[in-house]
């Protein structure tokens, strides 16, 4: 995969590539034109959710326990087909995780603008820091400005503000719920990686992952 592919998928289209999904899903995304990529995600929904389940099981730090439990409930809702409530909860988990972990030093008042500026600045990084930066790139699309009071058109791509301030089916749809879930899990896994705790030595099987999430 070339860096341009990563930038297109993550920063432009808002599809996470770090920690989730699996290489198999990423290959399928790269094999089609951009306007078909969301169809690929929906076709491989079960595999993507399984990837999220396994990845979430690697979030073991006690400091992240509240977020991990919330993400476990989110995945249970998604497995049950509750996409619209799942999308709303996923966006709340994304927001809370950013504020409570990766961007805890950003002032809470007027949080979004400085947070996005940090993400933009992170793109000028070394290869050593590329994974951390690329994990954040979907936020550039997810936090696009949306002001319903100004008559802004409801965005079709997964958007935190439109999820919070509308109930429009243009925004609330299965693929956006799935992408928001992926972003929530990838951010939690990145938060785990940034903590000064031992990294999990191996990926868990699905049964072990589910047990860990419910613990």
């Amino acid at each position: 995969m070339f860096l341009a592919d990563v930038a297109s998928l993550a920063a432009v289209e808002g599809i996470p590539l770090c920690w989730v999904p699996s290489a198999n899903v990423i290959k399928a995304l790269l094999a089609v034109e951009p306007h078909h990529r969301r169809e690929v995600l929906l076709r491989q929904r079960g595999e993507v959710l399984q990837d999220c389940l396994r990845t979430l099981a690697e979030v073991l730090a006690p400091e992240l326990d509240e977020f991990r439990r919330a993400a476990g409930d989110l995945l249970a809702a998604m497995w049950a087909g509750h996409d619209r409530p799942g999308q709303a909860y996923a966006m709340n988990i994304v927001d809370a995780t950013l504020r409570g972990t990766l961007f805890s030093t950003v002032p809470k008042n007027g949080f979004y603008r400085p947070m996005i500026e940090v993400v933009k600045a992170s793109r000028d990084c070394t290869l050593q820091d590329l994974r951390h930066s690329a994990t954040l790139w979907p936020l550039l699309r997810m936090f696009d400005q949306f002001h319903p009071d100004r008559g802004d058109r409801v965005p079709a791509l997964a958007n935190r503000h439109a999820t919070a301030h509308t109930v429009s089916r243009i925004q609330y749809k299965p693929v956006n719920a799935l992408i928001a879930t992926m972003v929530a899990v990838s951010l939690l896994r990145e938060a785990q990686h940034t903590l000064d705790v031992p990294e999990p030595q191996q990926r868990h099987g699905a049964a072990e992952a589910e047990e860990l999430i419910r613990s």
Side-chain angles (χ1 to χ4, degrees):
M1 181 189 303
F2 295 105
L3 186 56
D5 296 321
V6 178
S8 175
L9 281 161
V12 178
E13 299 177 51
I15 299 173
L17 299 175
C18 299
W19 302 114
V20 293
S22 66
N24 181 56
V25 175
I26 292 173
K27 288 178 183 177
L29 290 170
L30 291 173
V32 300
E33 295 296 320
H35 61 280
H36 288 307
R37 285 173 177 161
R38 280 162 172 73
E39 298 169 18
V40 169
L41 285 177
L42 288 176
R43 284 199 302 269
Q44 301 195 234
R45 182 179 187 276
E47 183 174 350
V48 170
L49 290 177
Q50 198 70 259
D51 293 337
C52 289
L53 190 64
R54 293 192 184 99
T55 299
L56 186 59
E58 297 174 355
V59 179
L60 304 174
E63 301 94 318
L64 302 175
D65 187 62
E66 182 178 13
F67 304 110
R68 179 181 66 86
R69 290 177 181 274
D73 291 340
L74 164 62
L75 285 171
M78 291 296 291
W79 274 114
H82 302 307
D83 290 333
R84 288 166 65 83
Q87 180 174 333
Y89 199 29
M91 290 297 188
N92 281 341
I93 294 170
V94 167
D95 201 303
T97 299
L98 292 172
R99 292 170 181 269
T101 63
L102 299 170
F103 290 86
S104 60
T105 60
V106 173
K108 300 302 184 286
N109 186 26
F111 173 79
Y112 300 114
R113 187 182 299 275
M115 181 269 290
I116 287 298
E117 289 305 314
V118 172
V119 176
K120 289 179 179 177
S122 77
R123 293 181 294 181
D124 182 18
C125 65
T126 64
L127 283 175
Q128 181 179 357
D129 297 325
L130 179 59
R131 189 216 63 257
H132 176 75
S133 178
T135 301
L136 305 176
W137 291 356
L139 302 177
L140 298 173
R141 182 59 59 237
M142 182 169 282
F143 283 86
D144 272 343
Q145 292 190 21
F146 169 70
H147 300 281
D149 54 323
R150 299 178 188 174
D152 289 356
R153 180 178 298 179
V154 176
L157 301 183
N159 182 281
R160 181 268 169 195
H161 304 312
T163 297
H165 300 297
T166 77
V167 291
S168 170
R169 290 187 180 274
I170 296 173
Q171 174 59 210
Y172 275 91
K173 51 191 175 187
V175 72
N176 285 349
L178 186 59
I179 288 172
T181 299
M182 294 163 66
V183 172
V185 171
S186 69
L187 290 174
L188 274 174
R189 185 61 181 85
E190 183 63 23
Q192 163 81 30
H193 185 79
T194 61
L195 292 172
D196 187 20
V197 295
E199 275 286 293
Q201 295 301 305
Q202 61 181 11
R203 302 184 74 85
H204 296 276
E208 293 170 283
E210 195 163 357
E211 182 178 350
L212 278 168
I213 289 170
R214 295 301 169 208
S215 63

